[in-house]
């Protein structure tokens, strides 16, 4: 029914998809995904300054009152997200995320639950709050960033028929790169706090 779709993305998340071309490949890849034999890594920019990497091991289920959202919920399905810090900025953190499970909106829900929602996330970050002292350029970019800052950057798996290792990578899209470049530029001009 999904034309061989194995690894899908939330609306407005950029990056790699995985689509099987044959029924045999589809069957093998679904089994590999269920057995956690497909490595999936994402890049994200979240609000706030994370001090270190870590893991979120919280069940995710349908939000009890807002049916278009998911939430950390005791009756949800198990979900584990590992994250590591790639770059810290004054009010943001650029991170890499690796999934053990694949729940709907998993990274977005887990980071919002930890009070570090993704930049631009229309569903989980709430009202846009501009950091104090942010430049006009950063304010314009944040106001215009109309999607979650989330990118599926890497997939690694065994070929479903031959077993040969495959690793695919996707560069960050232009809007994501522009966000990182502006955050880096802001960091360079911001005087250190005393």
């Amino acid at each position: 029914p999904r034309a061989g779709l194995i690894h899908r993305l939330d609306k407005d998340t950029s990056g790699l998809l995985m689509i099987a071309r044959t029924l045999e490949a589809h069957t093998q890849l679904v089994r590999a995904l269920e057995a956690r034999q497909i490595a999936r890594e994402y890049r994200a920019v979240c609000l706030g300054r994370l001090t270190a990497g870590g893991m979120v091991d919280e069940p995710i289920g349908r939000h009890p009152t807002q049916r278009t959202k998911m939430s950390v919920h005791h009756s949800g399905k198990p979900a584990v997200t590992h994250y590591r810090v790639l770059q810290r900025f004054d009010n943001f953190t650029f991170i890499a995320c690796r999934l053990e499970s694949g729940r709907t909106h998993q990274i977005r829900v887990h980071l919002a639950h930890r009070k570090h929602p993704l930049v631009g996330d229309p569903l989980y970050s709430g009202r846009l709050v501009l950091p104090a002292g942010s430049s006009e350029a950063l304010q314009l970019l944040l106001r215009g960033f109309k999607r979650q800052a989330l990118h599926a950057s890497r997939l690694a798996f065994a070929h479903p028929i031959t077993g040969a290792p495959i690793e695919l990578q996707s560069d960050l899209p232009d809007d994501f790169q522009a966000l990182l470049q502006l955050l880096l530029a802001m960091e360079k001009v911001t005087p250190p706090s005393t």
Side-chain angles (χ1 to χ4, degrees):
R2 290 187 176 177
L5 194 57
I6 306 294
H7 176 256
R8 63 180 180 79
L9 300 175
D10 296 342
K11 180 184 177 206
D12 295 328
T13 295
S14 56
L16 296 166
L17 294 170
M18 182 187 295
I19 302 171
R21 291 177 25 190
T22 67
L23 181 57
E24 181 183 6
H26 183 272
T27 302
Q28 293 302 322
L29 289 169
V30 166
R31 285 182 184 149
L33 188 64
E34 289 171 352
R36 299 180 179 171
Q37 296 169 341
I38 298 177
R40 297 166 291 163
E41 192 168 298
Y42 293 75
R43 298 290 186 262
V45 176
C46 65
L47 300 173
R49 191 175 169 100
L50 290 168
T51 56
M55 176 182 72
V56 184
D57 183 356
E58 298 284 352
I60 292 177
R62 186 72 53 194
H63 192 283
T65 59
Q66 296 173 291
R67 305 307 292 163
T68 58
K69 291 176 75 171
M70 305 300 283
S71 66
V72 167
H73 197 272
H74 63 87
S75 64
K77 293 181 180 177
V80 178
T81 303
H82 298 269
Y83 62 91
R84 72 181 193 282
V85 173
L86 299 174
Q87 176 80 45
R88 285 181 200 86
F89 303 103
D90 282 341
N91 300 292
F92 305 92
T93 309
F94 179 39
I95 58 175
C97 298
R98 185 176 49 82
L99 300 179
E100 274 190 34
S101 47
R103 306 293 171 224
T104 301
H105 301 173
Q106 180 173 321
I107 293 170
R108 298 164 64 192
V109 170
H110 273 168
L111 288 169
H113 178 71
R114 288 281 172 100
K115 308 294 187 231
H116 292 283
L118 300 184
V119 167
D121 192 332
L123 204 52
Y124 298 102
S125 67
R127 183 177 68 82
L128 174 65
V129 177
L130 299 171
S134 57
S135 70
E136 188 174 322
L138 180 58
Q139 290 181 28
L140 279 171
L141 185 68
L142 291 174
R143 283 190 180 105
F145 207 89
K146 299 296 186 191
R147 69 176 189 92
Q148 58 272 6
L150 184 62
H151 178 74
S153 60
R154 180 179 167 270
L155 289 173
F157 56 98
H159 188 282
I161 308 304
T162 68
I166 297 175
E167 183 171 335
L168 305 170
Q169 295 194 25
S170 172
D171 293 334
L172 295 173
D174 292 344
D175 62 343
F176 205 119
Q177 287 187 37
L179 173 63
L180 288 173
Q181 288 170 359
L182 196 51
L183 290 174
L184 191 58
M186 288 292 301
E187 197 74 9
K188 289 177 181 175
V189 299
T190 304
S193 58
T194 54

